[in-house]
Amino acid sequence: MENTLVIIKPDAVGKKVVGDIIKAFDNFGLKLVALKMIKPSKETIEQFYLIHKGKVFFEPLVEFMSCGPIVVCVWQSENVVSKVRSFIGSTDSQKAEIGTIRNLFGTNNRKNAVHASDSIENAKNEIAFFFKNDEILDYNYDAWVSK
Ligand code: CMP
């Protein structure tokens, strides 16, 4: 099984669509294994997006991502990294494919509702950035849902 990190960004929190986005991932058949809401500092966001440092959009990205609460979550399934990347759509919400998360809930390149890891290796690093090992919950629905 593979895990990936999804961040529900401040624009989505502000639009009160956190529940809709989580529901969409649930309905897509993924398993939620970790979740928390945080208000990250600029330093935290700079560190998280270090690969983009020096790009024209870096400073506004840091400002935006640290302007309000975000929801960080970990989703699990087979091939979850590539599945989720397709599911969320292109970076620019204006160009995101119809029905994708960014098309449904985002606004533009920056306010694009969600971030998701773009490779299995990055997913491991990004999950470790926000979660301790014991915060990733390994559980089996079948063991208790029907009780
Ligand atoms: P995300 O998937 O979180 O990864 C990096 C973020 O940088 C990206 O989503 C966008 O929000 C932002 N980004 C990437 N390219 C641009 C751009 N050309 N203009 C503004 N923001 C961008």
mmCIF file with all atom_site columns, all heavy atoms in Angstrom, residues 7 9 48-49 52 56-57 60-61 64-65 85 88 91 102 108-112 114-116, ligand 1:
data_model
loop_
_atom_site.group_PDB
_atom_site.id
_atom_site.type_symbol
_atom_site.label_atom_id
_atom_site.label_alt_id
_atom_site.label_comp_id
_atom_site.label_asym_id
_atom_site.label_entity_id
_atom_site.label_seq_id
_atom_site.pdbx_PDB_ins_code
_atom_site.Cartn_x
_atom_site.Cartn_y
_atom_site.Cartn_z
_atom_site.occupancy
_atom_site.B_iso_or_equiv
_atom_site.pdbx_formal_charge
_atom_site.auth_seq_id
_atom_site.auth_comp_id
_atom_site.auth_asym_id
_atom_site.auth_atom_id
_atom_site.pdbx_PDB_model_num
ATOM   1   N N   . ILE A 1 7   ? -2.587  18.506 1.078   1.00 0.00 ? 7   ILE A N   1
ATOM   2   C CA  . ILE A 1 7   ? -2.816  19.703 1.901   1.00 0.00 ? 7   ILE A CA  1
ATOM   3   C C   . ILE A 1 7   ? -4.048  20.409 1.347   1.00 0.00 ? 7   ILE A C   1
ATOM   4   O O   . ILE A 1 7   ? -4.114  20.710 0.155   1.00 0.00 ? 7   ILE A O   1
ATOM   5   C CB  . ILE A 1 7   ? -1.627  20.684 1.845   1.00 0.00 ? 7   ILE A CB  1
ATOM   6   C CG1 . ILE A 1 7   ? -0.335  20.011 2.280   1.00 0.00 ? 7   ILE A CG1 1
ATOM   7   C CG2 . ILE A 1 7   ? -1.920  21.916 2.715   1.00 0.00 ? 7   ILE A CG2 1
ATOM   8   C CD1 . ILE A 1 7   ? 0.895   20.922 2.162   1.00 0.00 ? 7   ILE A CD1 1
ATOM   9   N N   . LYS A 1 9   ? -5.686  23.746 1.189   1.00 0.00 ? 9   LYS A N   1
ATOM   10  C CA  . LYS A 1 9   ? -5.057  25.064 1.330   1.00 0.00 ? 9   LYS A CA  1
ATOM   11  C C   . LYS A 1 9   ? -6.001  26.100 1.956   1.00 0.00 ? 9   LYS A C   1
ATOM   12  O O   . LYS A 1 9   ? -7.224  25.877 2.026   1.00 0.00 ? 9   LYS A O   1
ATOM   13  C CB  . LYS A 1 9   ? -4.574  25.518 -0.053  1.00 0.00 ? 9   LYS A CB  1
ATOM   14  C CG  . LYS A 1 9   ? -3.505  24.595 -0.660  1.00 0.00 ? 9   LYS A CG  1
ATOM   15  C CD  . LYS A 1 9   ? -2.893  25.198 -1.916  1.00 0.00 ? 9   LYS A CD  1
ATOM   16  C CE  . LYS A 1 9   ? -1.822  24.293 -2.500  1.00 0.00 ? 9   LYS A CE  1
ATOM   17  N NZ  . LYS A 1 9   ? -1.069  24.935 -3.603  1.00 0.00 ? 9   LYS A NZ  1
ATOM   18  N N   . PHE A 1 48  ? 8.927   23.701 3.440   1.00 0.00 ? 48  PHE A N   1
ATOM   19  C CA  . PHE A 1 48  ? 8.147   22.685 2.713   1.00 0.00 ? 48  PHE A CA  1
ATOM   20  C C   . PHE A 1 48  ? 8.295   22.847 1.199   1.00 0.00 ? 48  PHE A C   1
ATOM   21  O O   . PHE A 1 48  ? 8.422   21.867 0.463   1.00 0.00 ? 48  PHE A O   1
ATOM   22  C CB  . PHE A 1 48  ? 6.666   22.772 3.112   1.00 0.00 ? 48  PHE A CB  1
ATOM   23  C CG  . PHE A 1 48  ? 5.818   21.737 2.436   1.00 0.00 ? 48  PHE A CG  1
ATOM   24  C CD1 . PHE A 1 48  ? 5.828   20.416 2.875   1.00 0.00 ? 48  PHE A CD1 1
ATOM   25  C CD2 . PHE A 1 48  ? 5.029   22.062 1.337   1.00 0.00 ? 48  PHE A CD2 1
ATOM   26  C CE1 . PHE A 1 48  ? 5.065   19.433 2.241   1.00 0.00 ? 48  PHE A CE1 1
ATOM   27  C CE2 . PHE A 1 48  ? 4.271   21.092 0.696   1.00 0.00 ? 48  PHE A CE2 1
ATOM   28  C CZ  . PHE A 1 48  ? 4.294   19.779 1.146   1.00 0.00 ? 48  PHE A CZ  1
ATOM   29  N N   . TYR A 1 49  ? 8.274   24.114 0.743   1.00 0.00 ? 49  TYR A N   1
ATOM   30  C CA  . TYR A 1 49  ? 8.335   24.381 -0.707  1.00 0.00 ? 49  TYR A CA  1
ATOM   31  C C   . TYR A 1 49  ? 9.736   24.807 -1.154  1.00 0.00 ? 49  TYR A C   1
ATOM   32  O O   . TYR A 1 49  ? 9.866   25.498 -2.173  1.00 0.00 ? 49  TYR A O   1
ATOM   33  C CB  . TYR A 1 49  ? 7.337   25.481 -1.068  1.00 0.00 ? 49  TYR A CB  1
ATOM   34  C CG  . TYR A 1 49  ? 5.888   25.030 -1.176  1.00 0.00 ? 49  TYR A CG  1
ATOM   35  C CD1 . TYR A 1 49  ? 4.910   25.583 -0.365  1.00 0.00 ? 49  TYR A CD1 1
ATOM   36  C CD2 . TYR A 1 49  ? 5.489   24.080 -2.116  1.00 0.00 ? 49  TYR A CD2 1
ATOM   37  C CE1 . TYR A 1 49  ? 3.567   25.205 -0.475  1.00 0.00 ? 49  TYR A CE1 1
ATOM   38  C CE2 . TYR A 1 49  ? 4.154   23.687 -2.233  1.00 0.00 ? 49  TYR A CE2 1
ATOM   39  C CZ  . TYR A 1 49  ? 3.208   24.256 -1.410  1.00 0.00 ? 49  TYR A CZ  1
ATOM   40  O OH  . TYR A 1 49  ? 1.893   23.871 -1.537  1.00 0.00 ? 49  TYR A OH  1
ATOM   41  N N   . HIS A 1 52  ? 11.001  25.218 -4.693  1.00 0.00 ? 52  HIS A N   1
ATOM   42  C CA  . HIS A 1 52  ? 10.522  26.319 -5.538  1.00 0.00 ? 52  HIS A CA  1
ATOM   43  C C   . HIS A 1 52  ? 11.188  27.655 -5.197  1.00 0.00 ? 52  HIS A C   1
ATOM   44  O O   . HIS A 1 52  ? 10.869  28.670 -5.820  1.00 0.00 ? 52  HIS A O   1
ATOM   45  C CB  . HIS A 1 52  ? 9.000   26.473 -5.404  1.00 0.00 ? 52  HIS A CB  1
ATOM   46  C CG  . HIS A 1 52  ? 8.242   25.288 -5.912  1.00 0.00 ? 52  HIS A CG  1
ATOM   47  N ND1 . HIS A 1 52  ? 8.343   24.839 -7.210  1.00 0.00 ? 52  HIS A ND1 1
ATOM   48  C CD2 . HIS A 1 52  ? 7.377   24.435 -5.293  1.00 0.00 ? 52  HIS A CD2 1
ATOM   49  C CE1 . HIS A 1 52  ? 7.576   23.774 -7.372  1.00 0.00 ? 52  HIS A CE1 1
ATOM   50  N NE2 . HIS A 1 52  ? 6.987   23.504 -6.229  1.00 0.00 ? 52  HIS A NE2 1
ATOM   51  N N   . VAL A 1 56  ? 9.503   32.914 -9.390  1.00 0.00 ? 56  VAL A N   1
ATOM   52  C CA  . VAL A 1 56  ? 8.752   34.164 -9.208  1.00 0.00 ? 56  VAL A CA  1
ATOM   53  C C   . VAL A 1 56  ? 7.551   33.996 -8.279  1.00 0.00 ? 56  VAL A C   1
ATOM   54  O O   . VAL A 1 56  ? 7.170   34.934 -7.587  1.00 0.00 ? 56  VAL A O   1
ATOM   55  C CB  . VAL A 1 56  ? 8.265   34.763 -10.557 1.00 0.00 ? 56  VAL A CB  1
ATOM   56  C CG1 . VAL A 1 56  ? 9.392   35.421 -11.295 1.00 0.00 ? 56  VAL A CG1 1
ATOM   57  C CG2 . VAL A 1 56  ? 7.575   33.720 -11.413 1.00 0.00 ? 56  VAL A CG2 1
ATOM   58  N N   . PHE A 1 57  ? 6.989   32.815 -8.266  1.00 0.00 ? 57  PHE A N   1
ATOM   59  C CA  . PHE A 1 57  ? 5.774   32.631 -7.459  1.00 0.00 ? 57  PHE A CA  1
ATOM   60  C C   . PHE A 1 57  ? 6.079   32.217 -6.022  1.00 0.00 ? 57  PHE A C   1
ATOM   61  O O   . PHE A 1 57  ? 5.167   32.038 -5.225  1.00 0.00 ? 57  PHE A O   1
ATOM   62  C CB  . PHE A 1 57  ? 4.829   31.621 -8.120  1.00 0.00 ? 57  PHE A CB  1
ATOM   63  C CG  . PHE A 1 57  ? 5.406   30.227 -8.308  1.00 0.00 ? 57  PHE A CG  1
ATOM   64  C CD1 . PHE A 1 57  ? 5.416   29.314 -7.267  1.00 0.00 ? 57  PHE A CD1 1
ATOM   65  C CD2 . PHE A 1 57  ? 5.934   29.844 -9.533  1.00 0.00 ? 57  PHE A CD2 1
ATOM   66  C CE1 . PHE A 1 57  ? 5.935   28.045 -7.432  1.00 0.00 ? 57  PHE A CE1 1
ATOM   67  C CE2 . PHE A 1 57  ? 6.461   28.578 -9.714  1.00 0.00 ? 57  PHE A CE2 1
ATOM   68  C CZ  . PHE A 1 57  ? 6.470   27.666 -8.655  1.00 0.00 ? 57  PHE A CZ  1
ATOM   69  N N   . PRO A 1 60  ? 4.946   34.926 -3.000  1.00 0.00 ? 60  PRO A N   1
ATOM   70  C CA  . PRO A 1 60  ? 3.479   34.940 -2.826  1.00 0.00 ? 60  PRO A CA  1
ATOM   71  C C   . PRO A 1 60  ? 2.908   33.602 -2.378  1.00 0.00 ? 60  PRO A C   1
ATOM   72  O O   . PRO A 1 60  ? 1.929   33.569 -1.624  1.00 0.00 ? 60  PRO A O   1
ATOM   73  C CB  . PRO A 1 60  ? 2.945   35.307 -4.218  1.00 0.00 ? 60  PRO A CB  1
ATOM   74  C CG  . PRO A 1 60  ? 4.101   35.753 -5.021  1.00 0.00 ? 60  PRO A CG  1
ATOM   75  C CD  . PRO A 1 60  ? 5.352   35.327 -4.351  1.00 0.00 ? 60  PRO A CD  1
ATOM   76  N N   . LEU A 1 61  ? 3.544   32.519 -2.816  1.00 0.00 ? 61  LEU A N   1
ATOM   77  C CA  . LEU A 1 61  ? 3.085   31.183 -2.392  1.00 0.00 ? 61  LEU A CA  1
ATOM   78  C C   . LEU A 1 61  ? 3.259   31.029 -0.879  1.00 0.00 ? 61  LEU A C   1
ATOM   79  O O   . LEU A 1 61  ? 2.347   30.554 -0.192  1.00 0.00 ? 61  LEU A O   1
ATOM   80  C CB  . LEU A 1 61  ? 3.895   30.110 -3.141  1.00 0.00 ? 61  LEU A CB  1
ATOM   81  C CG  . LEU A 1 61  ? 3.703   28.653 -2.699  1.00 0.00 ? 61  LEU A CG  1
ATOM   82  C CD1 . LEU A 1 61  ? 2.283   28.164 -2.989  1.00 0.00 ? 61  LEU A CD1 1
ATOM   83  C CD2 . LEU A 1 61  ? 4.720   27.738 -3.398  1.00 0.00 ? 61  LEU A CD2 1
ATOM   84  N N   . PHE A 1 64  ? 0.719   33.210 0.939   1.00 0.00 ? 64  PHE A N   1
ATOM   85  C CA  . PHE A 1 64  ? -0.631  32.629 0.851   1.00 0.00 ? 64  PHE A CA  1
ATOM   86  C C   . PHE A 1 64  ? -0.774  31.406 1.751   1.00 0.00 ? 64  PHE A C   1
ATOM   87  O O   . PHE A 1 64  ? -1.737  31.286 2.514   1.00 0.00 ? 64  PHE A O   1
ATOM   88  C CB  . PHE A 1 64  ? -0.930  32.274 -0.616  1.00 0.00 ? 64  PHE A CB  1
ATOM   89  C CG  . PHE A 1 64  ? -2.111  31.365 -0.777  1.00 0.00 ? 64  PHE A CG  1
ATOM   90  C CD1 . PHE A 1 64  ? -3.374  31.751 -0.362  1.00 0.00 ? 64  PHE A CD1 1
ATOM   91  C CD2 . PHE A 1 64  ? -1.962  30.107 -1.345  1.00 0.00 ? 64  PHE A CD2 1
ATOM   92  C CE1 . PHE A 1 64  ? -4.462  30.899 -0.499  1.00 0.00 ? 64  PHE A CE1 1
ATOM   93  C CE2 . PHE A 1 64  ? -3.032  29.253 -1.486  1.00 0.00 ? 64  PHE A CE2 1
ATOM   94  C CZ  . PHE A 1 64  ? -4.297  29.659 -1.056  1.00 0.00 ? 64  PHE A CZ  1
ATOM   95  N N   . MET A 1 65  ? 0.193   30.505 1.694   1.00 0.00 ? 65  MET A N   1
ATOM   96  C CA  . MET A 1 65  ? 0.057   29.245 2.427   1.00 0.00 ? 65  MET A CA  1
ATOM   97  C C   . MET A 1 65  ? 0.176   29.428 3.940   1.00 0.00 ? 65  MET A C   1
ATOM   98  O O   . MET A 1 65  ? -0.215  28.540 4.701   1.00 0.00 ? 65  MET A O   1
ATOM   99  C CB  . MET A 1 65  ? 1.095   28.231 1.934   1.00 0.00 ? 65  MET A CB  1
ATOM   100 C CG  . MET A 1 65  ? 0.815   27.698 0.556   1.00 0.00 ? 65  MET A CG  1
ATOM   101 S SD  . MET A 1 65  ? -0.708  26.726 0.451   1.00 0.00 ? 65  MET A SD  1
ATOM   102 C CE  . MET A 1 65  ? -0.268  25.271 1.387   1.00 0.00 ? 65  MET A CE  1
ATOM   103 N N   . ARG A 1 85  ? -2.878  12.589 -8.017  1.00 0.00 ? 85  ARG A N   1
ATOM   104 C CA  . ARG A 1 85  ? -2.442  13.660 -8.924  1.00 0.00 ? 85  ARG A CA  1
ATOM   105 C C   . ARG A 1 85  ? -3.453  13.838 -10.057 1.00 0.00 ? 85  ARG A C   1
ATOM   106 O O   . ARG A 1 85  ? -3.769  14.962 -10.443 1.00 0.00 ? 85  ARG A O   1
ATOM   107 C CB  . ARG A 1 85  ? -1.050  13.356 -9.476  1.00 0.00 ? 85  ARG A CB  1
ATOM   108 C CG  . ARG A 1 85  ? 0.049   13.445 -8.437  1.00 0.00 ? 85  ARG A CG  1
ATOM   109 C CD  . ARG A 1 85  ? 0.359   14.845 -8.000  1.00 0.00 ? 85  ARG A CD  1
ATOM   110 N NE  . ARG A 1 85  ? 1.007   15.633 -9.033  1.00 0.00 ? 85  ARG A NE  1
ATOM   111 C CZ  . ARG A 1 85  ? 1.453   16.864 -8.857  1.00 0.00 ? 85  ARG A CZ  1
ATOM   112 N NH1 . ARG A 1 85  ? 1.311   17.468 -7.677  1.00 0.00 ? 85  ARG A NH1 1
ATOM   113 N NH2 . ARG A 1 85  ? 2.025   17.522 -9.829  1.00 0.00 ? 85  ARG A NH2 1
ATOM   114 N N   . ILE A 1 88  ? -6.805  15.445 -8.616  1.00 0.00 ? 88  ILE A N   1
ATOM   115 C CA  . ILE A 1 88  ? -6.851  16.872 -8.265  1.00 0.00 ? 88  ILE A CA  1
ATOM   116 C C   . ILE A 1 88  ? -6.773  17.778 -9.488  1.00 0.00 ? 88  ILE A C   1
ATOM   117 O O   . ILE A 1 88  ? -7.206  18.909 -9.445  1.00 0.00 ? 88  ILE A O   1
ATOM   118 C CB  . ILE A 1 88  ? -5.781  17.273 -7.213  1.00 0.00 ? 88  ILE A CB  1
ATOM   119 C CG1 . ILE A 1 88  ? -4.365  17.149 -7.760  1.00 0.00 ? 88  ILE A CG1 1
ATOM   120 C CG2 . ILE A 1 88  ? -5.965  16.486 -5.925  1.00 0.00 ? 88  ILE A CG2 1
ATOM   121 C CD1 . ILE A 1 88  ? -3.300  17.721 -6.808  1.00 0.00 ? 88  ILE A CD1 1
ATOM   122 N N   . THR A 1 91  ? -2.311  22.186 -12.029 1.00 0.00 ? 91  THR A N   1
ATOM   123 C CA  . THR A 1 91  ? -1.996  23.181 -10.986 1.00 0.00 ? 91  THR A CA  1
ATOM   124 C C   . THR A 1 91  ? -2.899  24.402 -11.066 1.00 0.00 ? 91  THR A C   1
ATOM   125 O O   . THR A 1 91  ? -3.417  24.873 -10.054 1.00 0.00 ? 91  THR A O   1
ATOM   126 C CB  . THR A 1 91  ? -0.514  23.615 -11.118 1.00 0.00 ? 91  THR A CB  1
ATOM   127 O OG1 . THR A 1 91  ? 0.306   22.460 -11.028 1.00 0.00 ? 91  THR A OG1 1
ATOM   128 C CG2 . THR A 1 91  ? -0.134  24.596 -10.026 1.00 0.00 ? 91  THR A CG2 1
ATOM   129 N N   . ARG A 1 102 ? -9.346  20.606 -8.172  1.00 0.00 ? 102 ARG A N   1
ATOM   130 C CA  . ARG A 1 102 ? -8.961  22.009 -8.399  1.00 0.00 ? 102 ARG A CA  1
ATOM   131 C C   . ARG A 1 102 ? -9.961  22.724 -9.292  1.00 0.00 ? 102 ARG A C   1
ATOM   132 O O   . ARG A 1 102 ? -10.188 23.934 -9.146  1.00 0.00 ? 102 ARG A O   1
ATOM   133 C CB  . ARG A 1 102 ? -7.546  22.067 -8.970  1.00 0.00 ? 102 ARG A CB  1
ATOM   134 C CG  . ARG A 1 102 ? -6.491  21.806 -7.890  1.00 0.00 ? 102 ARG A CG  1
ATOM   135 C CD  . ARG A 1 102 ? -5.146  21.581 -8.498  1.00 0.00 ? 102 ARG A CD  1
ATOM   136 N NE  . ARG A 1 102 ? -4.067  21.641 -7.508  1.00 0.00 ? 102 ARG A NE  1
ATOM   137 C CZ  . ARG A 1 102 ? -2.852  21.158 -7.738  1.00 0.00 ? 102 ARG A CZ  1
ATOM   138 N NH1 . ARG A 1 102 ? -2.560  20.582 -8.895  1.00 0.00 ? 102 ARG A NH1 1
ATOM   139 N NH2 . ARG A 1 102 ? -1.914  21.244 -6.816  1.00 0.00 ? 102 ARG A NH2 1
ATOM   140 N N   . ASN A 1 108 ? -7.429  29.746 -9.024  1.00 0.00 ? 108 ASN A N   1
ATOM   141 C CA  . ASN A 1 108 ? -6.378  30.070 -9.996  1.00 0.00 ? 108 ASN A CA  1
ATOM   142 C C   . ASN A 1 108 ? -5.127  29.238 -9.706  1.00 0.00 ? 108 ASN A C   1
ATOM   143 O O   . ASN A 1 108 ? -5.208  28.193 -9.053  1.00 0.00 ? 108 ASN A O   1
ATOM   144 C CB  . ASN A 1 108 ? -6.087  31.585 -9.995  1.00 0.00 ? 108 ASN A CB  1
ATOM   145 C CG  . ASN A 1 108 ? -5.751  32.115 -8.596  1.00 0.00 ? 108 ASN A CG  1
ATOM   146 O OD1 . ASN A 1 108 ? -5.144  31.419 -7.786  1.00 0.00 ? 108 ASN A OD1 1
ATOM   147 N ND2 . ASN A 1 108 ? -6.156  33.337 -8.316  1.00 0.00 ? 108 ASN A ND2 1
ATOM   148 N N   . ASN A 1 109 ? -3.962  29.735 -10.151 1.00 0.00 ? 109 ASN A N   1
ATOM   149 C CA  . ASN A 1 109 ? -2.696  29.027 -9.970  1.00 0.00 ? 109 ASN A CA  1
ATOM   150 C C   . ASN A 1 109 ? -2.288  28.899 -8.508  1.00 0.00 ? 109 ASN A C   1
ATOM   151 O O   . ASN A 1 109 ? -1.721  27.899 -8.099  1.00 0.00 ? 109 ASN A O   1
ATOM   152 C CB  . ASN A 1 109 ? -1.598  29.848 -10.669 1.00 0.00 ? 109 ASN A CB  1
ATOM   153 C CG  . ASN A 1 109 ? -0.889  29.053 -11.718 1.00 0.00 ? 109 ASN A CG  1
ATOM   154 O OD1 . ASN A 1 109 ? -0.998  27.836 -11.735 1.00 0.00 ? 109 ASN A OD1 1
ATOM   155 N ND2 . ASN A 1 109 ? -0.166  29.726 -12.572 1.00 0.00 ? 109 ASN A ND2 1
ATOM   156 N N   . ARG A 1 110 ? -2.531  29.968 -7.774  1.00 0.00 ? 110 ARG A N   1
ATOM   157 C CA  . ARG A 1 110 ? -2.109  30.004 -6.361  1.00 0.00 ? 110 ARG A CA  1
ATOM   158 C C   . ARG A 1 110 ? -3.209  29.458 -5.459  1.00 0.00 ? 110 ARG A C   1
ATOM   159 O O   . ARG A 1 110 ? -2.953  28.589 -4.626  1.00 0.00 ? 110 ARG A O   1
ATOM   160 C CB  . ARG A 1 110 ? -1.757  31.443 -5.973  1.00 0.00 ? 110 ARG A CB  1
ATOM   161 C CG  . ARG A 1 110 ? -1.217  31.572 -4.570  1.00 0.00 ? 110 ARG A CG  1
ATOM   162 C CD  . ARG A 1 110 ? -0.556  32.917 -4.352  1.00 0.00 ? 110 ARG A CD  1
ATOM   163 N NE  . ARG A 1 110 ? 0.447   33.181 -5.374  1.00 0.00 ? 110 ARG A NE  1
ATOM   164 C CZ  . ARG A 1 110 ? 0.409   34.202 -6.235  1.00 0.00 ? 110 ARG A CZ  1
ATOM   165 N NH1 . ARG A 1 110 ? -0.560  35.083 -6.172  1.00 0.00 ? 110 ARG A NH1 1
ATOM   166 N NH2 . ARG A 1 110 ? 1.348   34.348 -7.149  1.00 0.00 ? 110 ARG A NH2 1
ATOM   167 N N   . LYS A 1 111 ? -4.394  29.991 -5.641  1.00 0.00 ? 111 LYS A N   1
ATOM   168 C CA  . LYS A 1 111 ? -5.531  29.510 -4.837  1.00 0.00 ? 111 LYS A CA  1
ATOM   169 C C   . LYS A 1 111 ? -6.107  28.290 -5.547  1.00 0.00 ? 111 LYS A C   1
ATOM   170 O O   . LYS A 1 111 ? -7.167  28.369 -6.195  1.00 0.00 ? 111 LYS A O   1
ATOM   171 C CB  . LYS A 1 111 ? -6.574  30.619 -4.706  1.00 0.00 ? 111 LYS A CB  1
ATOM   172 C CG  . LYS A 1 111 ? -6.057  31.834 -3.950  1.00 0.00 ? 111 LYS A CG  1
ATOM   173 C CD  . LYS A 1 111 ? -7.120  32.901 -3.859  1.00 0.00 ? 111 LYS A CD  1
ATOM   174 C CE  . LYS A 1 111 ? -6.615  34.078 -3.052  1.00 0.00 ? 111 LYS A CE  1
ATOM   175 N NZ  . LYS A 1 111 ? -7.584  35.177 -3.014  1.00 0.00 ? 111 LYS A NZ  1
ATOM   176 N N   . ASN A 1 112 ? -5.390  27.180 -5.409  1.00 0.00 ? 112 ASN A N   1
ATOM   177 C CA  . ASN A 1 112 ? -5.803  25.988 -6.171  1.00 0.00 ? 112 ASN A CA  1
ATOM   178 C C   . ASN A 1 112 ? -6.294  24.858 -5.259  1.00 0.00 ? 112 ASN A C   1
ATOM   179 O O   . ASN A 1 112 ? -6.234  23.686 -5.607  1.00 0.00 ? 112 ASN A O   1
ATOM   180 C CB  . ASN A 1 112 ? -4.682  25.529 -7.110  1.00 0.00 ? 112 ASN A CB  1
ATOM   181 C CG  . ASN A 1 112 ? -3.405  25.162 -6.387  1.00 0.00 ? 112 ASN A CG  1
ATOM   182 O OD1 . ASN A 1 112 ? -3.306  25.312 -5.176  1.00 0.00 ? 112 ASN A OD1 1
ATOM   183 N ND2 . ASN A 1 112 ? -2.436  24.662 -7.118  1.00 0.00 ? 112 ASN A ND2 1
ATOM   184 N N   . VAL A 1 114 ? -5.826  22.573 -3.242  1.00 0.00 ? 114 VAL A N   1
ATOM   185 C CA  . VAL A 1 114 ? -5.085  21.456 -2.641  1.00 0.00 ? 114 VAL A CA  1
ATOM   186 C C   . VAL A 1 114 ? -3.673  21.331 -3.222  1.00 0.00 ? 114 VAL A C   1
ATOM   187 O O   . VAL A 1 114 ? -3.400  21.741 -4.349  1.00 0.00 ? 114 VAL A O   1
ATOM   188 C CB  . VAL A 1 114 ? -5.803  20.094 -2.859  1.00 0.00 ? 114 VAL A CB  1
ATOM   189 C CG1 . VAL A 1 114 ? -7.082  19.989 -2.056  1.00 0.00 ? 114 VAL A CG1 1
ATOM   190 C CG2 . VAL A 1 114 ? -6.055  19.834 -4.327  1.00 0.00 ? 114 VAL A CG2 1
ATOM   191 N N   . HIS A 1 115 ? -2.830  20.723 -2.407  1.00 0.00 ? 115 HIS A N   1
ATOM   192 C CA  . HIS A 1 115 ? -1.511  20.251 -2.857  1.00 0.00 ? 115 HIS A CA  1
ATOM   193 C C   . HIS A 1 115 ? -1.511  18.742 -2.688  1.00 0.00 ? 115 HIS A C   1
ATOM   194 O O   . HIS A 1 115 ? -2.107  18.219 -1.742  1.00 0.00 ? 115 HIS A O   1
ATOM   195 C CB  . HIS A 1 115 ? -0.405  20.857 -1.995  1.00 0.00 ? 115 HIS A CB  1
ATOM   196 C CG  . HIS A 1 115 ? 0.904   20.126 -2.123  1.00 0.00 ? 115 HIS A CG  1
ATOM   197 N ND1 . HIS A 1 115 ? 1.815   20.431 -3.104  1.00 0.00 ? 115 HIS A ND1 1
ATOM   198 C CD2 . HIS A 1 115 ? 1.432   19.085 -1.430  1.00 0.00 ? 115 HIS A CD2 1
ATOM   199 C CE1 . HIS A 1 115 ? 2.856   19.601 -2.998  1.00 0.00 ? 115 HIS A CE1 1
ATOM   200 N NE2 . HIS A 1 115 ? 2.642   18.777 -1.986  1.00 0.00 ? 115 HIS A NE2 1
ATOM   201 N N   . ALA A 1 116 ? -0.830  18.030 -3.602  1.00 0.00 ? 116 ALA A N   1
ATOM   202 C CA  . ALA A 1 116 ? -0.621  16.589 -3.403  1.00 0.00 ? 116 ALA A CA  1
ATOM   203 C C   . ALA A 1 116 ? 0.782   16.217 -3.857  1.00 0.00 ? 116 ALA A C   1
ATOM   204 O O   . ALA A 1 116 ? 1.311   16.798 -4.822  1.00 0.00 ? 116 ALA A O   1
ATOM   205 C CB  . ALA A 1 116 ? -1.654  15.785 -4.175  1.00 0.00 ? 116 ALA A CB  1
HETATM 206 P P1  . CMP B 2 .   ? 1.290   22.975 -5.300  1.00 0.00 ? 1   CMP B P1  1
HETATM 207 O O1  . CMP B 2 .   ? 0.869   21.700 -5.895  1.00 0.00 ? 1   CMP B O1  1
HETATM 208 O O2  . CMP B 2 .   ? 1.009   23.238 -3.879  1.00 0.00 ? 1   CMP B O2  1
HETATM 209 O O3  . CMP B 2 .   ? 2.872   23.108 -5.534  1.00 0.00 ? 1   CMP B O3  1
HETATM 210 C C1  . CMP B 2 .   ? 3.516   24.351 -5.633  1.00 0.00 ? 1   CMP B C1  1
HETATM 211 C C2  . CMP B 2 .   ? 2.575   25.488 -5.745  1.00 0.00 ? 1   CMP B C2  1
HETATM 212 O O4  . CMP B 2 .   ? 3.093   26.657 -6.301  1.00 0.00 ? 1   CMP B O4  1
HETATM 213 C C3  . CMP B 2 .   ? 1.456   25.109 -6.705  1.00 0.00 ? 1   CMP B C3  1
HETATM 214 O O5  . CMP B 2 .   ? 0.631   24.142 -6.139  1.00 0.00 ? 1   CMP B O5  1
HETATM 215 C C4  . CMP B 2 .   ? 0.815   26.430 -6.962  1.00 0.00 ? 1   CMP B C4  1
HETATM 216 O O6  . CMP B 2 .   ? -0.091  26.806 -5.962  1.00 0.00 ? 1   CMP B O6  1
HETATM 217 C C5  . CMP B 2 .   ? 2.013   27.349 -6.921  1.00 0.00 ? 1   CMP B C5  1
HETATM 218 N N1  . CMP B 2 .   ? 2.399   27.688 -8.291  1.00 0.00 ? 1   CMP B N1  1
HETATM 219 C C6  . CMP B 2 .   ? 2.984   26.929 -9.190  1.00 0.00 ? 1   CMP B C6  1
HETATM 220 N N2  . CMP B 2 .   ? 3.170   27.587 -10.340 1.00 0.00 ? 1   CMP B N2  1
HETATM 221 C C7  . CMP B 2 .   ? 2.667   28.826 -10.135 1.00 0.00 ? 1   CMP B C7  1
HETATM 222 C C8  . CMP B 2 .   ? 2.545   29.980 -10.931 1.00 0.00 ? 1   CMP B C8  1
HETATM 223 N N3  . CMP B 2 .   ? 3.001   29.995 -12.186 1.00 0.00 ? 1   CMP B N3  1
HETATM 224 N N4  . CMP B 2 .   ? 1.962   31.062 -10.390 1.00 0.00 ? 1   CMP B N4  1
HETATM 225 C C9  . CMP B 2 .   ? 1.520   31.042 -9.120  1.00 0.00 ? 1   CMP B C9  1
HETATM 226 N N5  . CMP B 2 .   ? 1.595   29.977 -8.307  1.00 0.00 ? 1   CMP B N5  1
HETATM 227 C C10 . CMP B 2 .   ? 2.165   28.874 -8.813  1.00 0.00 ? 1   CMP B C10 1
#
